[in-house]
Amino acid sequence: MTTEARNLERLHVSTKTLECARNKCVPCGYKIVVHARDADAMLNQRPELCPRFKAAIDTSPVFPLLEPQMKVLVVHDGGFALTSLLKGYLNETHQLVVATAETKAQVVKKSPDMAKRIKKLENQGVRVHFEADTGALGALGQFDRVIWNFVESGTSLDSFFASVSAALSSDGQVHMTTKTPAVVAAATAHGLAHVRSLVFDRSFCPSYKVPYSDCDTVVFSWCETSPAAASLPMEPVTDAILSEIQSTYLAKSSHDAPKPTKAAMKKAKLAAIKKKEDKAKVDVPYEKEYFDLMNLKPKGKKHVIKRKKEYEANQEGKERPSKRVLPHRMENGKRKMGW
């Protein structure tokens, strides 16, 4: 992915993410270097392999751009994954409101336990609005943060940005997690200013299942000088940071290495066959002598058949016992009948 395809303006990264990348964590390094020109040639790993991700599995989620006392509106959270995490992060559950354009029946069909999940959220004080009109968000109230995560490319944003201003408080902000740079132009066209962007780091919320993680959280507000509250320290992504991470540990992946020629592959195959044949010809007389001396019989199906034939050959000419006394099955000190 090239620099022109991503918006590097006002891009920031959490200090913890940057420190982890400097400690040669490949997932964290890729989160930052994905903005570089030659990021396609860089190593990448699943976010679950980050040491911080493993350590944070049993801990409470952290939202770098939110504070617990804020009033939050979540838009288009169909599976209520983000809502469930925010419910425990905010001070009061009534501070959280969810708006989705789908009907309740459509949402319930997504998962067998979705109906119970919705009922639990509503009982805990979370307001859930189905069939909500994104062009009339002001009717839901005013919020400190309006969050829309994982905006897909090609989604119409005009009605959302036209109405979201009525749903923002005086210091309110819109947070959109996406890898579609077109959201910045759509927001500025409706009078919102791009305050900054933050490199998305799933290690802060390991239990949050996301469709992709190589994205940014873009922050919009009324003006560029709006205070951007953050619960964690962060630093701007500069060319020096990109060069540092690239030169530290990221290199071309192994699948980019030149492929071996047909002659080399044939030579390697013949060598493997010869090695296998030589191994089969190896004779260890000591082991044979040991087996004969100790009268050992190797295990296996062939040897079972061989031993059976040997037994039958030894029984030729011998009389079999005419009277065989079968053992008795005892139960409570008495012989059990019928056995």
Side-chain angles (χ1 to χ4, degrees), residues 213-229:
S213 58
D214 53 338
C215 53
D216 306 326
T217 300
V218 191
V219 180
F220 302 106
S221 183
W222 291 107
C223 58
E224 296 182 5
T225 58
S226 174

Side-chain angles (χ1 to χ4, degrees), residues 21-94:
R22 284 170 172 164
N23 290 331
K24 300 185 179 181
C25 174
V26 174
C28 289
Y30 186 80
K31 290 182 183 75
I32 305 170
V33 182
V34 71
H35 306 283
R37 294 180 182 276
D38 53 350
D40 291 336
M42 296 300 165
L43 289 174
N44 188 16
Q45 292 179 351
R46 295 188 61 83
E48 293 84 354
L49 297 178
C50 173
R52 293 184 301 113
F53 187 98
K54 299 176 183 178
I57 289 178
D58 298 328
T59 60
S60 301
V62 177
F63 296 91
L65 296 175
L66 297 179
E67 293 181 357
Q69 71 275 10
M70 291 180 174
K71 191 176 180 181
V72 180
L73 169 64
V74 181
V75 181
H76 297 307
D77 187 20
F80 299 102
L82 179 61
T83 305
S84 300
L85 294 174
L86 287 173
K87 176 194 64 176
Y89 180 77
L90 299 177
N91 291 337
E92 300 291 341
T93 53
H94 68 266

Side-chain angles (χ1 to χ4, degrees), residues 259-277:
K259 295 182 179 180
T261 60
K262 289 185 178 180
M265 293 173 65
K266 186 176 181 180
K267 186 177 180 180
K269 187 176 181 180
L270 292 174
I273 294 173
K274 185 178 179 181
K275 185 177 180 181
K276 188 175 181 180
E277 291 176 351

